[in-house]
Amino acid sequence: MKKTIYLVVPCYNEQEVLRDSADILKKKMGSLMERELISEKSKICFVDDGSKDSTWGIIEGLAADDRIFAAVKLSRNRGHQNALLGGLMTVKDDCDAAISLDADLQDDVDAIDEMVIKFNDGADIVYGVRNDRTKDSFMKKATAQGFYRFMNFMGASTIYNHADFRLMSKRALDAFSEFKEVNLFLRGMVTMVGFNQDVVYYERQKRMAGESKYNLSKMLSLAFDGITSFSVKPLRLIFSCGILFAAIGVIMALTGLFAGLFSIALSANHMLYALIWFMGGMNLAAMGTVGEYIGKIYSEVKARPRYIIEKYVDNKD
Ligand code: UDP
Ligand code: MG
């Protein structure tokens, strides 16, 4: 049985690239159908994320003229991550797997073939991972690399050089729909789903036209969401700093006492400084402790699934 694959493409003010992208994606789907890798029911679904230009008009027109295109419109701009999730959840019951990619086609569409082949071979999630960043601007490269490193240091583990170009099977999407959180960092959440995961490598291209919709502030806000929704490490860091500062205070107090015993002259305010370190440290440690409880409350209210069942075998005879 050939599988039905939907491409899900979030679009925000993409009128400059949309028609070209639609053409390229249609050709790609056509060739996959010809090679019998995907079913004729497969589609390309554009998600308009509350664009202010003619993006929706173009998408609607495409969907009206050609059955290969589908269109979803969000009521207003909700940002890339929400638009992508909205698209995936809308199509998940109509397809066997969905592939998410950006409207500017910076992600190599030829990598889709390999994703589909890996899916047909049994993978549930296939990550597109770029193997170099030579085509990105220096600024983009530096911020992106820094972003991944910092995220991993902060405990939000993601796949290096993977953004949101990936294939997810229907059952992975079903499992994913159990994640009810509102602050989205999809690339981090998807790794938690489990099942069979695989990777394809590709070279990322320059944007065909238009401008990047991810300015520095959107990027920082994504990084912040990633860290704060995945990790209590910042809270633990506060606690550790507190303990360290308090320990410095104790050591200073001990050296003060020691100096007193052996009549070694120290700064007149030595014991005062010791007290300041100690009290400051205890304050931070107390905040870190409260933070630890807040972290627990946070993970409770996110109500993530505690487990996802992959198989259930129950032979009655
Ligand atoms: N996008 C979106 N909503 C937004 C911002 C961006 O749906 O609020 C889409 C955008 O149309 C594109 C994708 O998200 O398809 C990635 O954006 P962009 O190419 O500007 O980011 P970059 O590649 O520069 O990181
Ligand atoms: Mg882009």
Side-chain angles (χ1 to χ4, degrees):
M1 255 286 273
K2 282 180 286 179
K3 298 285 169 49
T4 303
I5 308 285
Y6 272 44
L7 303 183
V8 176
V9 189
C11 309
Y12 177 60
N13 295 345
E14 298 286 9
Q15 61 183 18
E16 288 101 337
V17 297
L18 209 48
R19 288 185 196 283
D20 291 340
S21 296
D23 270 355
I24 296 171
L25 291 176
K26 187 179 166 180
K27 284 205 188 87
K28 172 57 48 188
M29 295 298 267
S31 92
L32 290 169
M33 286 173 191
E34 248 165 52
R35 289 162 60 202
E36 310 222 316
L37 286 171
I38 62 175
S39 87
E40 311 285 318
K41 283 185 281 177
S42 301
K43 276 181 194 278
I44 303 159
C45 177
F46 290 108
V47 183
D48 174 32
D49 182 18
S51 298
K52 292 176 185 64
D53 63 3
S54 60
T55 297
W56 173 246
I58 300 174
I59 295 176
E60 211 181 11
L62 287 168
D65 294 345
D66 192 336
R67 68 150 301 282
I68 197 159
F69 295 111
V72 174
K73 184 177 180 5
L74 298 197
S75 60
R76 68 178 178 93
N77 181 243
R78 298 290 295 129
H80 173 226
Q81 300 284 291
N82 292 300
L84 184 51
L85 183 70
L88 291 172
M89 291 301 126
T90 309
V91 305
K92 83 178 167 58
D93 296 325
D94 298 321
C95 62
D96 296 307
I99 298 176
S100 50
L101 74 168
D102 292 350
D104 54 13
L105 301 191
Q106 284 185 279
D107 304 311
D108 183 8
V109 291
D110 292 329
I112 293 176
D113 303 42
E114 218 182 316
M115 283 186 176
V116 171
I117 290 168
K118 291 200 161 161
F119 167 66
N120 287 337
D121 286 346
D124 283 279
I125 299 177
V126 187
Y127 300 101
V129 173
R130 63 183 100 157
N131 49 18
D132 80 314
R133 278 183 173 269
T134 44
K135 293 212 170 64
D136 276 347
S137 71
F138 175 76
M139 189 56 196
K140 184 87 197 174
K141 204 157 40 187
T143 45
Q145 300 267 5
F147 174 63
Y148 283 111
R149 295 235 167 87
F150 186 63
M151 294 291 299
N152 284 329
F153 171 73
M154 281 302 196
S157 68
T158 49
I159 291 184
Y160 193 62
N161 271 348
H162 163 67
D164 282 302
F165 181 31
R166 79 186 142 250
L167 175 146
M168 290 176 80
S169 68
K170 160 102 172 79
R171 71 170 178 174
L173 290 169
D174 279 337
F176 201 60
S177 66
E178 297 295 320
F179 288 70
K180 303 292 184 201
E181 57 213 79
V182 173
N183 293 292
L184 294 181
F185 185 62
L186 298 179
R187 65 191 78 163
M189 288 157 64
V190 171
T191 58
M192 301 173 83
V193 170
F195 298 131
N196 307 322
Q197 308 201 347
D198 211 331
V199 164
V200 302
Y201 293 94
Y202 70 98
E203 203 176 306
R204 194 167 151 103
Q205 309 298 317
K206 270 210 172 97
R207 207 175 220 287
M208 290 192 293
E211 281 176 358
S212 170
K213 282 21 175 219
Y214 263 96
N215 51 25
L216 191 63
S217 98
K218 273 196 179 169
M219 206 139 67
L220 286 178
S221 120
L222 181 68
F224 205 70
D225 266 356
I227 294 161
T228 50
S229 13
F230 270 85
S231 158
V232 287
K233 206 160 172 181
L235 297 172
R236 301 237 161 98
L237 275 179
I238 296 177
F239 182 78
S240 311
C241 283
I243 296 295
L244 179 73
F245 292 174
I248 293 174
V250 170
I251 292 167
M252 284 177 72
L254 288 177
T255 51
L257 284 178
F258 226 63
L261 277 180
F262 294 100
S263 318
I264 303 166
L266 281 180
S267 142
N269 290 329
H270 185 85
M271 287 312 246
L272 186 63
Y273 295 146
L275 193 65
I276 292 173
W277 275 100
F278 184 73
M279 290 309 294
M282 290 311 281
N283 261 323
L284 277 184
M287 272 163 61
T289 312
V290 174
E292 192 67 29
Y293 286 95
I294 295 178
K296 295 270 182 317
I297 296 171
Y298 186 45
S299 53
E300 290 291 342
V301 297
K302 270 197 301 243
R304 282 183 181 162
R306 279 160 295 181
Y307 50 81
I308 292 165
I309 291 171
E310 176 159 349
K311 278 198 185 102
Y312 173 46
V313 181
D314 178 17
N315 289 320
K316 290 282 181 330
D317 40 41

